[in-house]
């Protein structure tokens, strides 16, 4: 006779099945037992190697229910030899091969300066062209209320603004507080200059130096790091080290994503 071994585990104690997800490169997951969060960089022999935002690598076994993906428990599996998903843009979005740039929207994203605009283009350029979003720079925000009034934002022409050093009590926060409109979103990062939004590890330095108040910040950074006194060349060096969203601090990533969502909302 064929043996019969029924599962006598009560239903409420049985583990619910979880999705199986191929451990493709750049997939960002969290290991459940340690909380280590990083992007997949290698998968081999039943293990997966993750790289966190500081560039640290850790190897984990691909055990069932061993990882969190966007907050949900999953089981990582070894990917097939052929790509199973589209490549991604520098921002981490799914790439759309052959997509044409959309006609520019009436809405805009404003950033403070040329370096901010170049950094946004470097990481989000593909996404912005598909969405038809134009990024312009202001050369500072001292005249922001007048600029917003001249733009005349509306429901079909929203305005998103990225501000440097938007922290309580700063000049920037006081100027931003003068602008009030449901069709304007002002967000910012805590850094004195957008240079600091690039991870030091990506640039190859231990940390961004602290520059005394009253001294030009960019010039002071060049001096402190032993770079030539040419802030334009220094910026090109920094920008060349940015290859994707993983080279930027989360405090900038989230703010730019907010602005894109705001100006492209129906």
């Amino acid at each position: 006779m064929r043996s019969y071994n029924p599962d006598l585990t009560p239903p409420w104690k049985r583990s619910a099945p979880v999705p199986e997800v191929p451990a493709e490169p750049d997939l960002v997951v969290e290991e459940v037992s340690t909380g280590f969060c990083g992007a997949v960089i290698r998968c081999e022999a039943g293990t997966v190697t993750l790289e966190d935002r500081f560039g640290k690598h850790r190897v984990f076994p691909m055990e069932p229910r061993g990882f969190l993906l966007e907050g949900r428990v999953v089981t990582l599996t070894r990917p097939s030899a052929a790509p199973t998903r589209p490549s991604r843009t520098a921002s981490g979005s799914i790439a759309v091969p052959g997509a044409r740039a959309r006609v520019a929207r009436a809405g805009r994203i404003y950033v403070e300066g040329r370096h901010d605009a170049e950094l946004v283009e470097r990481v989000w350029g593909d996404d912005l062209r598909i969405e038809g979003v134009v990024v312009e720079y202001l050369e500072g925000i001292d005249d922001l209320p007048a600029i917003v009034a001249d733009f005349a934002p509306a429901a079909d022409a929203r305005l998103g603004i990225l501000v440097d050093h938007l922290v309580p009590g700063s000049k920037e926060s006081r100027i931003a507080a003068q602008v009030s409109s449901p069709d304007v979103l002002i967000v910012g990062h805590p850094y004195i200059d957008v240079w600091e939004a690039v991870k030091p590890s990506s640039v190859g330095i231990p940390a961004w130096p602290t520059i005394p108040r009253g001294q030009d910040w960019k010039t002071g950074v060049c001096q402190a790091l032993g770079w030539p006194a040419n802030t334009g060349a220094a910026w090109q060096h920094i920008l060349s080290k940015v290859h994707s969203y993983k080279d930027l601090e989360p405090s900038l990533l989230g703010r730019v994503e907010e602005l894109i969502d705001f100006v492209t909302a129906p």
Side-chain angles (χ1 to χ4, degrees):
M1 295 179 60
R2 181 180 299 175
S3 62
Y4 177 59
N5 295 312
D7 185 356
L8 300 179
T9 305
W12 59 87
K13 290 187 177 181
R14 297 175 188 169
S15 297
V18 300
E20 292 187 350
V21 178
E24 300 283 359
D26 295 333
L27 180 72
V28 178
V29 295
E30 178 182 339
E31 202 276 331
V32 294
S33 63
T34 63
F36 186 90
C37 183
V40 173
I41 61 170
R42 189 179 306 109
C43 179
E44 56 189 4
T47 65
V48 62
T49 303
L50 304 182
E51 179 183 56
D52 71 5
R53 66 190 186 93
F54 301 107
K56 182 179 180 180
H57 293 184
R58 287 191 64 176
V59 180
F60 297 99
M62 292 196 298
E63 297 180 347
R65 307 173 66 88
F67 298 86
L68 296 177
L69 175 62
E70 298 180 350
R72 297 178 298 174
V73 177
V74 299
T75 296
L76 290 186
T77 62
R78 190 165 185 171
S80 60
T84 60
R85 63 186 178 91
S87 61
R88 295 182 176 270
T89 66
S91 72
S93 300
I94 294 177
V96 183
R100 295 183 178 180
R102 177 174 174 166
V103 174
R105 295 174 182 265
R108 290 287 188 275
I109 291 177
Y110 284 171
V111 297
E112 283 202 48
R114 180 170 60 85
H115 293 180
D116 306 69
E118 290 177 345
L119 187 60
V120 169
E121 163 63 26
R122 184 86 167 191
V123 176
W124 289 273
D126 291 338
D127 309 64
L128 292 168
R129 280 182 284 279
I130 289 176
E131 295 290 350
V133 177
V134 175
V135 175
E136 300 181 9
Y137 63 91
L138 305 172
E139 292 291 1
I141 65 164
D142 290 347
D143 298 322
L144 185 62
I147 292 170
V148 172
D150 184 62
F151 183 86
D156 60 348
R158 291 181 169 183
L159 183 59
I161 303 166
L162 179 68
V163 177
D164 297 343
H165 200 225
L166 191 62
V167 296
S170 67
K171 178 192 76 171
E172 291 80 2
S173 66
R174 292 191 293 271
I175 294 174
Q178 299 175 37
V179 178
S180 177
S181 168
D183 301 311
V184 177
L185 175 64
I186 300 177
V187 300
H189 55 73
Y191 309 114
I192 294 175
D193 190 274
V194 78
W195 288 19
E196 284 188 289
V198 180
K199 292 178 180 178
S201 58
S202 295
V203 183
I205 58 176
W208 289 106
T210 299
I211 306 304
R213 294 187 64 177
Q215 181 179 0
D216 179 74
W217 189 85
K218 292 176 182 176
T219 301
V221 166
C222 291
Q223 292 176 346
L225 295 177
W227 293 351
N230 183 331
T231 58
W235 169 244
Q236 290 307 313
H237 169 71
I238 296 167
L239 188 62
S240 72
K241 302 300 182 181
V242 177
H243 304 291
S244 76
Y245 70 96
K246 292 188 287 186
D247 295 308
L248 302 183
E249 298 289 358
S251 51
L252 176 67
L253 293 173
R255 304 298 79 74
V256 176
E257 297 287 352
E258 279 186 64
L259 294 178
I260 295 174
D261 290 344
F262 180 76
V263 299
T264 59

